[in-house]
Amino acid sequence: MQNTQLFYSLEQKPPFFKAIFAAFVHLMAMFIAVITPSLLICKELGVNDMDTGRIIAMSLFASGIASLIQIYKIGPIGSGLLSIQGTSFNFVAPIITAGLLLKNKGLDDAQMLGTIFGTLMMCALTEILISQFLPLFKKAISPLVSGIVVLLIGLSLINIGLISVGGGYEAKSNGSFGNLKDLFLAGSVIAAIIFLNLFKNSYLKISALFLAVVVGVLIAYFLGDFSFQMNYQLPLVFLPQPFYFGIGIDWSLVLPFVLVYAVTSLETIGDISATCEVSHQKLEGREYFLRLKGGVLANGINSFVSGIFNTFPNSCFSQNNGVIALSGIASRYVGLLVALFLMLLGLFPVIANFALQIPQSILGGATLVMFGSIAATGVRILAKEKITRRSILIISLSLGIGLGVNNNPDILQFLPKWVESVFSSGIVAGGLCAIFLNLIFPKEVV
């Protein structure tokens, strides 16, 4: 990508129709990925359609605001690049685990959501602080640690994706889990993704996820599992209502969320570096460091703002770097259009209505690929590390503890309740193990 010719650089403004086309390609590359985390979390936690629709709509709206902040620097806040933001997949598994924990404590849906959003907002300070101490932070959480945590996130999410493929928890409860129709719909989405990636046309590859879901929806429509009818319970317009579900904090959720925010900061550094590369910006020196610092700072502020608007944390989307590389357009003006489109889409419930009607098995087919790619990203990060006895030992112990706790959390049932609540997440258990071992094992061990 580094040899890509730029037709329009960072500060240049393409002709209107060319800018609209580039913005539309960015939207196709990210749209499904923006709405899916909220949809999955709400479905797994049993949130009603009205509240789910609001959260989906606000995920689009908040992504637009976050992209504006990231692209158009406000003082030290933002990278100043065409860096599009969207709802982060990193938080899906921890939020579902947190929501189930809160429901077990007797909280109703509104209280549960308000507590999750409030705790996420407080923990967003993690990225704000990290942005001010980047050199120190990178020593504690090295690429080895980051790769392990990203791999754990991906492997944890794959199970959620597979449950969606079979029809979700509702299908499990009524005995229809894994029925042939759901498997066929999920399989059609996966087959469409594979088919579209066989073509040499790079725009088809970038839009494969969006187009594959469209294919799955059309098949579901002909099978009678999807309807284009409007849900008239939804209002004509979703006006943003800050703290719609109230706000609260659960201290047992702080450590899991802090760890995921820390890893997201490292991913942001990688994403912004890639955006600098495809945008022909410097990858060293003071200007580059300020972009990284501003980008991570914006990430934290954007996740805080997302909580205000009743949706989940935001992060930079790496797939949009591919659009810049293919189109040769790195103009921030295009980013402005993308941000405005996202905000507008978030105001109209017809988008949420469409998302709510998509059969879960179709989302499962798409998310299985997305979650697998998160795990693959973890492998790719680890592959950049020199494989020594030290790194093998850290990886082995961290994955063993993380996946073991994730699959059998009841192993902690006789420990103090605060220990059980903190370490019941395999991501936290494995991630903290990786951080601890990375700090205590001397680098020279081979």
Side-chain angles (χ1 to χ4, degrees):
M1 289 193 295
Q2 64 191 118
N3 296 320
T4 304
Q5 178 185 354
L6 282 186
F7 301 110
Y8 297 96
S9 62
L10 203 61
E11 304 299 339
Q12 290 179 316
K13 184 177 178 180
F16 180 72
F17 288 108
K18 191 171 286 188
I20 289 288
F21 174 75
F24 181 69
V25 176
H26 275 286
L27 282 173
M28 288 185 70
M30 68 179 293
F31 179 78
I32 295 298
V34 172
I35 65 172
T36 300
S38 299
L39 194 53
L40 278 178
I41 291 168
C42 290
K43 280 183 178 291
E44 297 299 330
L45 295 180
V47 179
N48 65 65
D49 282 357
M50 180 70 74
D51 289 340
T52 300
R54 177 173 293 280
I55 292 170
I56 291 170
M58 289 302 102
S59 68
L60 290 164
F61 183 81
S63 294
I65 293 178
S67 297
L68 278 177
I69 293 171
Q70 188 69 264
I71 294 166
Y72 284 88
K73 294 186 66 171
I74 304 171
I77 305 168
S79 66
L81 300 166
L82 203 178
S83 186
I84 309 298
Q85 299 236 176
T87 310
S88 174
F89 273 100
N90 289 351
F91 290 85
V92 171
I95 289 173
I96 291 173
T97 302
L100 294 174
L101 178 69
L102 293 172
K103 292 187 89 167
N104 288 336
K105 289 182 178 181
L107 274 65
D108 61 30
D109 284 355
Q111 292 171 326
M112 172 197 68
L113 290 168
T115 301
I116 288 174
F117 293 137
T119 310
L120 284 168
M121 287 172 64
M122 186 186 74
C123 294
L125 294 172
T126 304
E127 287 196 275
I128 295 172
L129 290 172
I130 285 171
S131 70
Q132 306 305 305
F133 301 99
L134 280 181
L136 294 175
F137 167 73
K138 292 185 76 174
K139 289 180 182 178
I141 301 187
S142 66
L144 176 63
V145 174
S146 179
I148 290 169
V149 176
V150 172
L151 180 56
L152 282 169
I153 289 170
L155 294 175
S156 300
L157 288 170
I158 284 172
N159 184 53
I160 295 172
L162 195 62
I163 291 172
S164 293
V165 165
Y169 284 105
E170 184 180 349
K172 274 198 165 189
S173 63
N174 63 28
S176 64
F177 183 76
N179 66 79
L180 292 179
K181 184 184 285 188
D182 281 329
L183 294 181
F184 174 71
L185 288 173
S188 68
V189 173
I190 295 171
I193 291 171
I194 295 171
F195 177 72
L196 290 167
N197 276 279
L198 294 175
F199 289 92
K200 291 183 178 180
N201 188 311
S202 299
Y203 288 101
L204 279 179
K205 292 180 181 180
I206 282 178
S207 307
L209 194 65
F210 177 83
L211 296 175
V213 170
V214 171
V215 169
V217 166
L218 290 174
I219 293 173
Y221 176 76
F222 288 112
L223 293 177
D225 275 12
F226 182 87
S227 170
F228 288 100
Q229 292 182 350
M230 183 67 186
N231 181 352
Y232 292 103
Q233 291 183 331
L234 294 173
L236 293 175
V237 175
F238 266 135
L239 293 176
Q241 289 183 247
F243 305 115
Y244 180 80
F245 299 103
I247 189 169
I249 293 175
D250 189 297
W251 294 100
S252 67
L253 306 179
V254 170
L255 185 56
F257 289 160
V258 163
L259 182 60
V260 181
Y261 271 120
V263 172
T264 303
S265 295
L266 270 186
E267 287 189 356
T268 300
I269 291 170
D271 288 336
I272 290 174
S273 298
T275 309
C276 283
E277 185 178 8
V278 295
S279 304
H280 294 193
Q281 300 297 305
K282 294 178 181 178
L283 281 167
E284 57 185 4
R286 185 173 183 274
E287 181 183 351
Y288 170 64
F289 180 78
L290 288 176
R291 288 196 190 281
L292 293 183
K293 187 176 180 179
V296 175
L297 176 58
N299 234 32
I301 291 172
N302 288 337
S303 291
F304 185 90
V305 171
S306 296
I308 292 174
F309 287 110
N310 317 295
T311 194
F312 305 109
N314 253 266
S315 65
C316 296
F317 269 24
S318 58
Q319 56 262 54
N320 294 90
N321 291 327
V323 180
I324 296 172
L326 287 170
S327 65
I329 299 176
S331 168
R332 294 198 299 171
Y333 175 69
V334 171
L336 169 63
L337 293 176
V338 177
L340 291 177
F341 287 158
L342 285 168
M343 292 171 70
L344 283 172
L345 289 172
L347 295 178
F348 295 101
V350 65
I351 304 299
N353 179 70
F354 172 81
L356 285 167
Q357 293 184 67
I358 298 175
Q360 195 157 349
S361 53
I362 291 177
L363 289 175
T367 54
L368 203 60
V369 176
M370 285 190 280
F371 297 159
S373 70
I374 292 174
T377 298
V379 173
R380 186 173 61 188
I381 294 170
L382 292 174
K384 294 178 181 178
E385 287 288 296
K386 185 178 180 181
I387 301 301
T388 64
R389 288 179 61 190
R390 174 184 184 274
S391 59
I392 288 174
L393 186 58
I394 293 174
I395 293 168
S396 302
L397 286 170
S398 302
L399 289 181
I401 291 173
L403 293 176
V405 170
N406 194 64
N407 292 327
N408 297 282
D410 54 344
I411 198 170
L412 305 172
Q413 62 181 318
F414 296 113
L415 294 175
K417 283 297 178 185
W418 71 268
V419 176
E420 183 183 0
S421 63
V422 169
F423 291 96
S424 59
S425 165
I427 297 167
V428 174
L432 288 178
C433 176
I435 293 171
F436 175 72
L437 295 177
N438 186 54
L439 290 173
I440 67 167
F441 280 155
K443 298 286 185 181
E444 62 268 17
V445 173
V446 294

